[in-house]
Amino acid sequence: MKILIITRSYYPEKTVVNKIAEGLFKRGHNVTVLTAKPSFALGYILPGYQNMSYELSNGIRIHRVDVFPRRNSRHSLVMNDYTFYKNARKWVKKTKEKFDVVYTYCYSPVSNISAGNLYKKLHKVPHIAHVVEFSPDDALNRRFTFKYSPNYLFLYFYSRHTYRKTDGLIIPSPVYEEYVRKVLKIKKLSMTYIPHTPLIEEGIVNPYIYKKGFNIVFYGDVDKTHILSILPEAMNKVARKDIYFHIIGKGKFSKDLLEQINNNHLDERIILHGDKPLADIPNCFTNADACYYSLTNKGYKGRAIDDKLIFMMSQKKPIIAVIEGDGEEVLKETGGGYILKDNVDDLVFAISKAASASKKEIETKGNNNYEYFLKHYQINTVVGEIESVLLKKCL
């Protein structure tokens, strides 16, 4: 197949779509990527890429369009999205290249799918959208809008129109089929569940050394979508004082969480490490005894299988999880978790139970998670499933 992949972020930015493109190329397909000039979270275009519109990397032909640099402000996010939308469509209108299928890898917003739909219309080829974050559900979760506001209604009808124009969706969790059918009311569009596996750096170079005791690691955004506000009160109630909680990441809730930690005199037992480079993340888990995973059940995203959960399963650790929906079903199937509800007493019980478990029980739960990861979530497995979907559309 000659495949056009459209994605806003690509090499040298670290994203799993790099591995997907290279995996498809290694399977014998001709792969071209249409993407933006790299600027993710930098505030500027990466040096060397300001005037680069084409390059060849690992066998992949890469076309780059100009974008407004992505910064932390909402205005820059909107402008980054808009300029990629506009310039990707402009490239599609001008290109003479012929492809057998278009594959769009799409985070929010939904407008990233537009260029793929346009290529489909102009060249009469199928377009598959791999939707990692669904709109407008994602906008509600991030509190960019509220239900039935004018902005929400615009997003709702635009998203519905855009998804319907594709030839099929790849969804990262089974619950999103319900969202598409019941909320967006798209009845006939084909959907295939393929997990949104994280980009996992291989090789442990310098594993962290933690204090002697029971060490639990959380990795993710420190915000209200992850249930961290009950942690200080819970850790105060945990009888054992040699249990340590390590938080890798930062976010809007970091300052409030740190204040709660200090007010409860827990600064030696709940440690905020801040952001770490992606290559360093596995080092944080090597000597940990367990992981903590939490996701509020608001919206469909809160009931989906998250890539952070998949990452933690790859680390051979048991998972203390505040979780519902598809993710809960996965952990029940693996038997690798201590599943609880969103309240302090449940968290105290789960932490205490994990910390008092035998070494054999801890190892068994961790290995169960890892074996499930190997069977369902490895990148080679995911690429094979994506290839199968694209091939069927080309027949």
Side-chain angles (χ1 to χ4, degrees), residues 129-292:
H130 191 155
V131 183
V132 179
E133 298 170 335
F134 272 87
S135 181
D137 182 66
D138 183 67
L140 288 175
N141 277 302
R142 295 175 187 270
R143 300 184 180 181
F144 287 166
T145 187
F146 56 92
K147 209 164 188 180
Y148 305 123
S149 68
N151 283 342
Y152 173 84
L153 292 173
F154 170 79
L155 276 174
Y156 175 87
F157 288 109
Y158 179 71
S159 300
R160 185 170 182 263
H161 172 78
T162 303
Y163 294 136
R164 287 178 67 185
K165 290 283 187 179
T166 70
D167 292 287
L169 302 178
I170 294 174
I171 56 177
S173 195
V175 72
Y176 283 120
E177 182 166 2
E178 178 185 325
Y179 181 73
V180 172
R181 302 294 188 216
K182 292 187 177 181
V183 178
L184 295 178
K185 301 186 185 305
I186 303 173
K187 304 299 183 184
K188 296 182 180 180
L189 189 63
S190 67
M191 282 177 277
T192 306
Y193 160 55
I194 300 176
H196 170 43
T197 192
L199 179 65
I200 298 174
E201 296 284 349
E202 300 294 336
I204 304 302
V205 178
N206 187 26
Y208 284 24
I209 305 299
Y210 295 121
K211 289 183 181 180
K212 186 177 180 181
F214 194 84
N215 289 275
I216 305 166
V217 175
F218 167 84
Y219 164 50
D221 295 328
V222 183
D223 57 24
K224 291 185 178 180
T225 64
H226 297 99
I227 301 163
L228 297 168
S229 60
I230 62 174
L231 181 58
E233 185 180 350
M235 286 291 283
N236 249 339
K237 290 185 175 184
V238 170
R240 281 180 56 177
K241 302 307 176 187
D242 65 339
I243 297 173
Y244 304 99
F245 215 105
H246 303 271
I247 297 175
I248 312 299
K250 66 178 182 180
K252 294 179 180 179
F253 188 57
S254 295
K255 184 177 179 181
D256 290 342
L257 181 60
L258 182 60
E259 186 176 334
Q260 288 183 36
I261 291 168
N262 291 333
N263 288 344
N264 285 278
H265 308 290
L266 290 166
D267 53 296
E268 292 187 0
R269 295 177 57 209
I270 304 177
I271 301 97
L272 273 64
H273 294 270
D275 272 343
K276 299 289 182 184
L278 184 62
D280 200 27
I281 299 302
N283 293 323
C284 303
F285 284 85
T286 306
N287 290 325
D289 298 289
C291 309
Y292 176 72

Side-chain angles (χ1 to χ4, degrees), residues 59 70 75 77 97 116-117 126 178 215 264 276 310 354 362:
R70 186 182 177 101
H75 174 262
L77 299 182
E97 293 190 53
N117 282 341
E178 178 185 325
N215 289 275
N264 285 278
K276 299 289 182 184
I310 296 173
I362 292 292

Side-chain angles (χ1 to χ4, degrees), residues 10-70:
Y10 194 72
Y11 170 86
E13 295 171 319
K14 292 186 176 181
T15 171
V16 72
V17 74
N18 300 355
K19 297 292 185 182
I20 293 172
E22 291 169 12
L24 290 169
F25 174 76
K26 288 175 183 177
R27 288 168 180 259
H29 304 291
N30 185 314
V31 180
T32 297
V33 172
L34 174 61
T35 189
K37 293 180 179 178
S39 70
F40 189 82
L42 293 172
Y44 54 87
I45 303 299
L46 201 65
Y49 285 88
Q50 292 92 338
N51 299 313
M52 183 186 292
S53 59
Y54 174 81
E55 69 175 315
L56 185 68
S57 174
N58 294 327
I60 313 298
R61 296 181 300 153
I62 307 168
H63 294 277
R64 300 187 183 276
V65 299
D66 290 319
V67 289
F68 187 89
R70 186 182 177 101

Side-chain angles (χ1 to χ4, degrees), residues 305-353:
I305 301 169
D306 184 77
D307 63 332
K308 294 294 191 299
L309 175 62
I310 296 173
F311 171 81
M312 290 180 186
M313 292 175 70
S314 76
Q315 299 303 298
K316 298 186 181 180
K317 307 295 178 185
I319 302 171
I320 299 168
V322 187
I323 189 173
E324 296 183 23
D326 292 342
E328 180 182 10
E329 293 305 312
V330 167
L331 280 186
K332 284 180 177 177
E333 187 173 344
T334 69
Y338 299 92
I339 302 170
L340 59 138
K341 299 298 182 183
D342 177 9
N343 66 71
V344 171
D345 290 338
D346 270 16
L347 183 54
V348 172
F349 178 79
I351 290 173
S352 302
K353 185 176 181 181

Side-chain angles (χ1 to χ4, degrees), residues 80-108:
N80 180 266
D81 294 335
Y82 173 70
T83 50
F84 180 69
Y85 161 84
K86 182 182 72 172
N87 291 328
R89 285 177 60 90
K90 186 184 294 185
W91 183 92
V92 165
K93 289 177 181 177
K94 289 183 177 180
T95 188
K96 299 294 192 294
E97 293 190 53
K98 302 293 184 182
F99 301 96
D100 300 313
V101 65
V102 181
Y103 167 77
T104 299
Y105 192 86
C106 179
Y107 287 92
S108 189

